[in-house]
Amino acid sequence: MTGTTVHLAVYDTFADWEPGFATAHLTQHGHSVRTVGLTTAPVTSMGGMRVQPGLALDSLDPTDSGLLILPGAALWDTGDTLAPFARAARSFLEAGVPVAAICGATAGLAREGLLDDRPHTSAVSFYLAATGYAGGAHYVEADAVTDAGGPARGALVTAGPTEPVAFAREILGLLGVYEPKKLDAWYRLFHDSDASAYEELQA
């Protein structure tokens, strides 16, 4: 799948390193990445980068998107400021459009009830348990997890804060950027620094 518009949520304190592997390789393979904020006012990432959102959240339509990426942020754990993004994720999933959430964004989805009945992961199980969600039985101890969804239910990718490469692997696989053998080589190259994987990736 190429030519898809992917929407990257940006908000104050967002963890700028978490979506980077995914967005860089998506754009290199014909996808367009568009940033979306609560408004179009500039935001500042956790790393101090100032970002001007290209779209306000209230203008975001799942039918115009191939994926919504939600990075972590300190704000996910300090109130309801980012709850509108969790509600947007619900709209995406109900429209059959995938969502990918990492780090604190997984807690936002948990609070929204979106992890209650599907496999998922996060930083650690007790981090999500603290949200009071009902999905503990579906927690998976893994770097990243993709639940394929189904009819009228979009796929969902989740990952913990230390796994931006695994997070990207799931996204790249979900959007068909690489077939499985090359995706494995991509992961070994960027996660394991396996130089031999470069030739496999270029073949």
Side-chain angles (χ1 to χ4, degrees), residues 156-186:
L156 177 63
V157 174
T158 50
T162 60
E163 298 298 339
V165 181
F167 184 58
R169 176 194 62 201
E170 299 302 303
I171 290 171
L172 298 177
L174 182 66
L175 295 187
V177 172
Y178 296 114
E179 51 85 20
K181 186 175 180 180
K182 286 197 173 184
L183 184 61
D184 177 69
W186 182 90

PDB file of all heavy atoms in Angstrom, residues 156-186:
ATOM      1  N   LEU A 156      -5.216  -2.405  15.528  1.00  0.00           N
ATOM      2  CA  LEU A 156      -4.651  -1.594  16.605  1.00  0.00           C
ATOM      3  C   LEU A 156      -3.242  -2.069  16.924  1.00  0.00           C
ATOM      4  O   LEU A 156      -3.019  -3.241  17.225  1.00  0.00           O
ATOM      5  CB  LEU A 156      -5.520  -1.676  17.853  1.00  0.00           C
ATOM      6  CG  LEU A 156      -5.008  -0.928  19.086  1.00  0.00           C
ATOM      7  CD1 LEU A 156      -4.947   0.572  18.823  1.00  0.00           C
ATOM      8  CD2 LEU A 156      -5.896  -1.219  20.289  1.00  0.00           C
ATOM      9  N   VAL A 157      -2.283  -1.139  16.856  1.00  0.00           N
ATOM     10  CA  VAL A 157      -0.892  -1.400  17.226  1.00  0.00           C
ATOM     11  C   VAL A 157      -0.623  -0.720  18.564  1.00  0.00           C
ATOM     12  O   VAL A 157      -0.993   0.442  18.755  1.00  0.00           O
ATOM     13  CB  VAL A 157       0.079  -0.832  16.170  1.00  0.00           C
ATOM     14  CG1 VAL A 157       1.533  -0.985  16.631  1.00  0.00           C
ATOM     15  CG2 VAL A 157      -0.132  -1.504  14.828  1.00  0.00           C
ATOM     16  N   THR A 158       0.023  -1.443  19.472  1.00  0.00           N
ATOM     17  CA  THR A 158       0.429  -0.850  20.747  1.00  0.00           C
ATOM     18  C   THR A 158       1.878  -1.229  21.030  1.00  0.00           C
ATOM     19  O   THR A 158       2.355  -2.279  20.601  1.00  0.00           O
ATOM     20  CB  THR A 158      -0.460  -1.314  21.922  1.00  0.00           C
ATOM     21  OG1 THR A 158      -0.559  -2.753  21.911  1.00  0.00           O
ATOM     22  CG2 THR A 158      -1.851  -0.708  21.836  1.00  0.00           C
ATOM     23  N   ALA A 159       2.573  -0.372  21.776  1.00  0.00           N
ATOM     24  CA  ALA A 159       3.971  -0.631  22.125  1.00  0.00           C
ATOM     25  C   ALA A 159       4.332   0.155  23.371  1.00  0.00           C
ATOM     26  O   ALA A 159       3.673   1.130  23.728  1.00  0.00           O
ATOM     27  CB  ALA A 159       4.902  -0.240  20.971  1.00  0.00           C
ATOM     28  N   GLY A 160       5.404  -0.280  24.021  1.00  0.00           N
ATOM     29  CA  GLY A 160       5.909   0.415  25.193  1.00  0.00           C
ATOM     30  C   GLY A 160       6.908   1.492  24.809  1.00  0.00           C
ATOM     31  O   GLY A 160       7.378   1.552  23.662  1.00  0.00           O
ATOM     32  N   PRO A 161       7.295   2.352  25.752  1.00  0.00           N
ATOM     33  CA  PRO A 161       8.100   3.532  25.457  1.00  0.00           C
ATOM     34  C   PRO A 161       9.527   3.241  25.012  1.00  0.00           C
ATOM     35  O   PRO A 161      10.172   4.103  24.412  1.00  0.00           O
ATOM     36  CB  PRO A 161       8.096   4.302  26.777  1.00  0.00           C
ATOM     37  CG  PRO A 161       7.867   3.252  27.819  1.00  0.00           C
ATOM     38  CD  PRO A 161       6.942   2.270  27.186  1.00  0.00           C
ATOM     39  N   THR A 162      10.032   2.053  25.286  1.00  0.00           N
ATOM     40  CA  THR A 162      11.411   1.726  24.914  1.00  0.00           C
ATOM     41  C   THR A 162      11.492   1.005  23.574  1.00  0.00           C
ATOM     42  O   THR A 162      12.564   0.536  23.191  1.00  0.00           O
ATOM     43  CB  THR A 162      12.066   0.835  25.987  1.00  0.00           C
ATOM     44  OG1 THR A 162      11.324  -0.387  26.109  1.00  0.00           O
ATOM     45  CG2 THR A 162      12.106   1.546  27.328  1.00  0.00           C
ATOM     46  N   GLU A 163      10.379   0.938  22.847  1.00  0.00           N
ATOM     47  CA  GLU A 163      10.343   0.125  21.630  1.00  0.00           C
ATOM     48  C   GLU A 163       9.899   0.885  20.376  1.00  0.00           C
ATOM     49  O   GLU A 163       9.018   0.442  19.647  1.00  0.00           O
ATOM     50  CB  GLU A 163       9.427  -1.081  21.863  1.00  0.00           C
ATOM     51  CG  GLU A 163       9.888  -2.005  22.958  1.00  0.00           C
ATOM     52  CD  GLU A 163      11.241  -2.653  22.686  1.00  0.00           C
ATOM     53  OE1 GLU A 163      11.637  -2.715  21.495  1.00  0.00           O
ATOM     54  OE2 GLU A 163      11.901  -3.075  23.642  1.00  0.00           O
ATOM     55  N   PRO A 164      10.525   2.017  20.062  1.00  0.00           N
ATOM     56  CA  PRO A 164      10.120   2.724  18.844  1.00  0.00           C
ATOM     57  C   PRO A 164      10.393   1.939  17.565  1.00  0.00           C
ATOM     58  O   PRO A 164       9.676   2.097  16.568  1.00  0.00           O
ATOM     59  CB  PRO A 164      10.936   4.021  18.887  1.00  0.00           C
ATOM     60  CG  PRO A 164      12.113   3.703  19.752  1.00  0.00           C
ATOM     61  CD  PRO A 164      11.601   2.744  20.782  1.00  0.00           C
ATOM     62  N   VAL A 165      11.423   1.081  17.571  1.00  0.00           N
ATOM     63  CA  VAL A 165      11.722   0.304  16.367  1.00  0.00           C
ATOM     64  C   VAL A 165      10.696  -0.805  16.187  1.00  0.00           C
ATOM     65  O   VAL A 165      10.189  -1.037  15.080  1.00  0.00           O
ATOM     66  CB  VAL A 165      13.154  -0.260  16.408  1.00  0.00           C
ATOM     67  CG1 VAL A 165      13.451  -1.049  15.128  1.00  0.00           C
ATOM     68  CG2 VAL A 165      14.166   0.867  16.563  1.00  0.00           C
ATOM     69  N   ALA A 166      10.349  -1.494  17.265  1.00  0.00           N
ATOM     70  CA  ALA A 166       9.310  -2.532  17.182  1.00  0.00           C
ATOM     71  C   ALA A 166       7.969  -1.912  16.816  1.00  0.00           C
ATOM     72  O   ALA A 166       7.181  -2.497  16.062  1.00  0.00           O
ATOM     73  CB  ALA A 166       9.214  -3.288  18.500  1.00  0.00           C
ATOM     74  N   PHE A 167       7.697  -0.735  17.342  1.00  0.00           N
ATOM     75  CA  PHE A 167       6.472   0.003  17.014  1.00  0.00           C
ATOM     76  C   PHE A 167       6.424   0.274  15.509  1.00  0.00           C
ATOM     77  O   PHE A 167       5.416   0.019  14.844  1.00  0.00           O
ATOM     78  CB  PHE A 167       6.474   1.316  17.801  1.00  0.00           C
ATOM     79  CG  PHE A 167       5.245   2.175  17.671  1.00  0.00           C
ATOM     80  CD1 PHE A 167       3.989   1.700  18.000  1.00  0.00           C
ATOM     81  CD2 PHE A 167       5.362   3.500  17.258  1.00  0.00           C
ATOM     82  CE1 PHE A 167       2.858   2.511  17.909  1.00  0.00           C
ATOM     83  CE2 PHE A 167       4.250   4.321  17.175  1.00  0.00           C
ATOM     84  CZ  PHE A 167       2.998   3.822  17.500  1.00  0.00           C
ATOM     85  N   ALA A 168       7.553   0.758  14.971  1.00  0.00           N
ATOM     86  CA  ALA A 168       7.629   1.023  13.533  1.00  0.00           C
ATOM     87  C   ALA A 168       7.485  -0.261  12.728  1.00  0.00           C
ATOM     88  O   ALA A 168       6.817  -0.275  11.688  1.00  0.00           O
ATOM     89  CB  ALA A 168       8.951   1.707  13.208  1.00  0.00           C
ATOM     90  N   ARG A 169       8.107  -1.341  13.199  1.00  0.00           N
ATOM     91  CA  ARG A 169       7.992  -2.623  12.488  1.00  0.00           C
ATOM     92  C   ARG A 169       6.535  -3.014  12.304  1.00  0.00           C
ATOM     93  O   ARG A 169       6.112  -3.423  11.220  1.00  0.00           O
ATOM     94  CB  ARG A 169       8.721  -3.719  13.270  1.00  0.00           C
ATOM     95  CG  ARG A 169       8.597  -5.122  12.679  1.00  0.00           C
ATOM     96  CD  ARG A 169       9.035  -6.169  13.682  1.00  0.00           C
ATOM     97  NE  ARG A 169       8.199  -6.152  14.865  1.00  0.00           N
ATOM     98  CZ  ARG A 169       8.557  -6.651  16.054  1.00  0.00           C
ATOM     99  NH1 ARG A 169       9.766  -7.198  16.207  1.00  0.00           N
ATOM    100  NH2 ARG A 169       7.730  -6.605  17.085  1.00  0.00           N
ATOM    101  N   GLU A 170       5.739  -2.877  13.370  1.00  0.00           N
ATOM    102  CA  GLU A 170       4.327  -3.258  13.278  1.00  0.00           C
ATOM    103  C   GLU A 170       3.576  -2.351  12.305  1.00  0.00           C
ATOM    104  O   GLU A 170       2.734  -2.808  11.534  1.00  0.00           O
ATOM    105  CB  GLU A 170       3.683  -3.195  14.666  1.00  0.00           C
ATOM    106  CG  GLU A 170       4.300  -4.128  15.695  1.00  0.00           C
ATOM    107  CD  GLU A 170       4.240  -5.584  15.258  1.00  0.00           C
ATOM    108  OE1 GLU A 170       3.129  -6.085  14.997  1.00  0.00           O
ATOM    109  OE2 GLU A 170       5.315  -6.221  15.183  1.00  0.00           O
ATOM    110  N   ILE A 171       3.885  -1.067  12.326  1.00  0.00           N
ATOM    111  CA  ILE A 171       3.224  -0.115  11.426  1.00  0.00           C
ATOM    112  C   ILE A 171       3.604  -0.394   9.973  1.00  0.00           C
ATOM    113  O   ILE A 171       2.743  -0.428   9.088  1.00  0.00           O
ATOM    114  CB  ILE A 171       3.588   1.329  11.825  1.00  0.00           C
ATOM    115  CG1 ILE A 171       2.925   1.694  13.159  1.00  0.00           C
ATOM    116  CG2 ILE A 171       3.181   2.322  10.738  1.00  0.00           C
ATOM    117  CD1 ILE A 171       3.395   3.007  13.749  1.00  0.00           C
ATOM    118  N   LEU A 172       4.898  -0.600   9.725  1.00  0.00           N
ATOM    119  CA  LEU A 172       5.357  -0.863   8.361  1.00  0.00           C
ATOM    120  C   LEU A 172       4.774  -2.162   7.824  1.00  0.00           C
ATOM    121  O   LEU A 172       4.432  -2.264   6.641  1.00  0.00           O
ATOM    122  CB  LEU A 172       6.888  -0.902   8.327  1.00  0.00           C
ATOM    123  CG  LEU A 172       7.602   0.393   8.733  1.00  0.00           C
ATOM    124  CD1 LEU A 172       9.118   0.184   8.729  1.00  0.00           C
ATOM    125  CD2 LEU A 172       7.218   1.553   7.838  1.00  0.00           C
ATOM    126  N   GLY A 173       4.630  -3.149   8.696  1.00  0.00           N
ATOM    127  CA  GLY A 173       4.002  -4.394   8.283  1.00  0.00           C
ATOM    128  C   GLY A 173       2.522  -4.222   8.023  1.00  0.00           C
ATOM    129  O   GLY A 173       1.988  -4.739   7.033  1.00  0.00           O
ATOM    130  N   LEU A 174       1.872  -3.481   8.879  1.00  0.00           N
ATOM    131  CA  LEU A 174       0.430  -3.262   8.748  1.00  0.00           C
ATOM    132  C   LEU A 174       0.092  -2.554   7.438  1.00  0.00           C
ATOM    133  O   LEU A 174      -0.894  -2.897   6.771  1.00  0.00           O
ATOM    134  CB  LEU A 174      -0.062  -2.430   9.940  1.00  0.00           C
ATOM    135  CG  LEU A 174      -1.557  -2.123  10.017  1.00  0.00           C
ATOM    136  CD1 LEU A 174      -2.349  -3.399  10.233  1.00  0.00           C
ATOM    137  CD2 LEU A 174      -1.827  -1.136  11.149  1.00  0.00           C
ATOM    138  N   LEU A 175       0.909  -1.576   7.055  1.00  0.00           N
ATOM    139  CA  LEU A 175       0.649  -0.810   5.841  1.00  0.00           C
ATOM    140  C   LEU A 175       1.323  -1.412   4.603  1.00  0.00           C
ATOM    141  O   LEU A 175       1.267  -0.823   3.518  1.00  0.00           O
ATOM    142  CB  LEU A 175       1.081   0.639   6.030  1.00  0.00           C
ATOM    143  CG  LEU A 175       0.301   1.427   7.091  1.00  0.00           C
ATOM    144  CD1 LEU A 175       0.705   2.891   7.075  1.00  0.00           C
ATOM    145  CD2 LEU A 175      -1.208   1.298   6.896  1.00  0.00           C
ATOM    146  N   GLY A 176       1.957  -2.570   4.777  1.00  0.00           N
ATOM    147  CA  GLY A 176       2.513  -3.273   3.637  1.00  0.00           C
ATOM    148  C   GLY A 176       3.722  -2.616   3.018  1.00  0.00           C
ATOM    149  O   GLY A 176       3.992  -2.796   1.826  1.00  0.00           O
ATOM    150  N   VAL A 177       4.477  -1.863   3.804  1.00  0.00           N
ATOM    151  CA  VAL A 177       5.673  -1.211   3.281  1.00  0.00           C
ATOM    152  C   VAL A 177       6.718  -2.257   2.881  1.00  0.00           C
ATOM    153  O   VAL A 177       7.393  -2.120   1.860  1.00  0.00           O
ATOM    154  CB  VAL A 177       6.250  -0.228   4.314  1.00  0.00           C
ATOM    155  CG1 VAL A 177       7.607   0.306   3.872  1.00  0.00           C
ATOM    156  CG2 VAL A 177       5.269   0.928   4.531  1.00  0.00           C
ATOM    157  N   TYR A 178       6.875  -3.299   3.702  1.00  0.00           N
ATOM    158  CA  TYR A 178       7.791  -4.391   3.397  1.00  0.00           C
ATOM    159  C   TYR A 178       7.057  -5.716   3.505  1.00  0.00           C
ATOM    160  O   TYR A 178       6.198  -5.886   4.387  1.00  0.00           O
ATOM    161  CB  TYR A 178       8.958  -4.421   4.387  1.00  0.00           C
ATOM    162  CG  TYR A 178       9.867  -3.224   4.347  1.00  0.00           C
ATOM    163  CD1 TYR A 178       9.961  -2.348   5.425  1.00  0.00           C
ATOM    164  CD2 TYR A 178      10.675  -2.981   3.233  1.00  0.00           C
ATOM    165  CE1 TYR A 178      10.810  -1.261   5.394  1.00  0.00           C
ATOM    166  CE2 TYR A 178      11.530  -1.884   3.198  1.00  0.00           C
ATOM    167  CZ  TYR A 178      11.595  -1.033   4.279  1.00  0.00           C
ATOM    168  OH  TYR A 178      12.439   0.041   4.237  1.00  0.00           O
ATOM    169  N   GLU A 179       7.405  -6.665   2.642  1.00  0.00           N
ATOM    170  CA  GLU A 179       6.893  -8.020   2.817  1.00  0.00           C
ATOM    171  C   GLU A 179       7.625  -8.633   4.018  1.00  0.00           C
ATOM    172  O   GLU A 179       8.656  -8.116   4.447  1.00  0.00           O
ATOM    173  CB  GLU A 179       7.059  -8.835   1.525  1.00  0.00           C
ATOM    174  CG  GLU A 179       8.446  -8.823   0.917  1.00  0.00           C
ATOM    175  CD  GLU A 179       9.344  -9.873   1.529  1.00  0.00           C
ATOM    176  OE1 GLU A 179       8.819 -10.823   2.130  1.00  0.00           O
ATOM    177  OE2 GLU A 179      10.567  -9.738   1.413  1.00  0.00           O
ATOM    178  N   PRO A 180       7.106  -9.723   4.596  1.00  0.00           N
ATOM    179  CA  PRO A 180       7.614 -10.223   5.880  1.00  0.00           C
ATOM    180  C   PRO A 180       9.119 -10.453   5.956  1.00  0.00           C
ATOM    181  O   PRO A 180       9.753 -10.101   6.957  1.00  0.00           O
ATOM    182  CB  PRO A 180       6.839 -11.525   6.065  1.00  0.00           C
ATOM    183  CG  PRO A 180       5.548 -11.281   5.364  1.00  0.00           C
ATOM    184  CD  PRO A 180       5.905 -10.458   4.161  1.00  0.00           C
ATOM    185  N   LYS A 181       9.731 -11.032   4.921  1.00  0.00           N
ATOM    186  CA  LYS A 181      11.167 -11.314   4.979  1.00  0.00           C
ATOM    187  C   LYS A 181      11.979 -10.025   5.056  1.00  0.00           C
ATOM    188  O   LYS A 181      12.926  -9.913   5.849  1.00  0.00           O
ATOM    189  CB  LYS A 181      11.587 -12.139   3.767  1.00  0.00           C
ATOM    190  CG  LYS A 181      13.041 -12.601   3.820  1.00  0.00           C
ATOM    191  CD  LYS A 181      13.369 -13.509   2.643  1.00  0.00           C
ATOM    192  CE  LYS A 181      14.824 -13.965   2.702  1.00  0.00           C
ATOM    193  NZ  LYS A 181      15.161 -14.859   1.562  1.00  0.00           N
ATOM    194  N   LYS A 182      11.608  -9.028   4.251  1.00  0.00           N
ATOM    195  CA  LYS A 182      12.323  -7.759   4.292  1.00  0.00           C
ATOM    196  C   LYS A 182      12.023  -6.983   5.570  1.00  0.00           C
ATOM    197  O   LYS A 182      12.882  -6.269   6.091  1.00  0.00           O
ATOM    198  CB  LYS A 182      11.984  -6.917   3.060  1.00  0.00           C
ATOM    199  CG  LYS A 182      12.654  -7.426   1.793  1.00  0.00           C
ATOM    200  CD  LYS A 182      12.652  -6.371   0.697  1.00  0.00           C
ATOM    201  CE  LYS A 182      13.484  -6.846  -0.488  1.00  0.00           C
ATOM    202  NZ  LYS A 182      13.581  -5.813  -1.543  1.00  0.00           N
ATOM    203  N   LEU A 183      10.825  -7.133   6.076  1.00  0.00           N
ATOM    204  CA  LEU A 183      10.483  -6.469   7.333  1.00  0.00           C
ATOM    205  C   LEU A 183      11.339  -7.017   8.465  1.00  0.00           C
ATOM    206  O   LEU A 183      11.811  -6.266   9.324  1.00  0.00           O
ATOM    207  CB  LEU A 183       8.999  -6.654   7.648  1.00  0.00           C
ATOM    208  CG  LEU A 183       8.480  -5.922   8.884  1.00  0.00           C
ATOM    209  CD1 LEU A 183       8.651  -4.413   8.738  1.00  0.00           C
ATOM    210  CD2 LEU A 183       7.009  -6.264   9.127  1.00  0.00           C
ATOM    211  N   ASP A 184      11.562  -8.321   8.457  1.00  0.00           N
ATOM    212  CA  ASP A 184      12.441  -8.920   9.463  1.00  0.00           C
ATOM    213  C   ASP A 184      13.855  -8.378   9.325  1.00  0.00           C
ATOM    214  O   ASP A 184      14.519  -8.067  10.328  1.00  0.00           O
ATOM    215  CB  ASP A 184      12.430 -10.442   9.309  1.00  0.00           C
ATOM    216  CG  ASP A 184      13.389 -11.115  10.275  1.00  0.00           C
ATOM    217  OD1 ASP A 184      13.122 -11.100  11.495  1.00  0.00           O
ATOM    218  OD2 ASP A 184      14.427 -11.653   9.814  1.00  0.00           O
ATOM    219  N   ALA A 185      14.336  -8.252   8.076  1.00  0.00           N
ATOM    220  CA  ALA A 185      15.673  -7.699   7.858  1.00  0.00           C
ATOM    221  C   ALA A 185      15.735  -6.250   8.326  1.00  0.00           C
ATOM    222  O   ALA A 185      16.724  -5.820   8.948  1.00  0.00           O
ATOM    223  CB  ALA A 185      16.033  -7.800   6.377  1.00  0.00           C
ATOM    224  N   TRP A 186      14.694  -5.473   8.025  1.00  0.00           N
ATOM    225  CA  TRP A 186      14.645  -4.072   8.472  1.00  0.00           C
ATOM    226  C   TRP A 186      14.756  -4.001   9.988  1.00  0.00           C
ATOM    227  O   TRP A 186      15.523  -3.191  10.533  1.00  0.00           O
ATOM    228  CB  TRP A 186      13.325  -3.443   8.014  1.00  0.00           C
ATOM    229  CG  TRP A 186      13.199  -2.002   8.390  1.00  0.00           C
ATOM    230  CD1 TRP A 186      13.588  -0.929   7.655  1.00  0.00           C
ATOM    231  CD2 TRP A 186      12.681  -1.483   9.624  1.00  0.00           C
ATOM    232  NE1 TRP A 186      13.345   0.230   8.339  1.00  0.00           N
ATOM    233  CE2 TRP A 186      12.787  -0.075   9.546  1.00  0.00           C
ATOM    234  CE3 TRP A 186      12.140  -2.061  10.764  1.00  0.00           C
ATOM    235  CZ2 TRP A 186      12.370   0.754  10.585  1.00  0.00           C
ATOM    236  CZ3 TRP A 186      11.729  -1.224  11.812  1.00  0.00           C
ATOM    237  CH2 TRP A 186      11.843   0.159  11.713  1.00  0.00           C
TER     238      TRP A 186
END
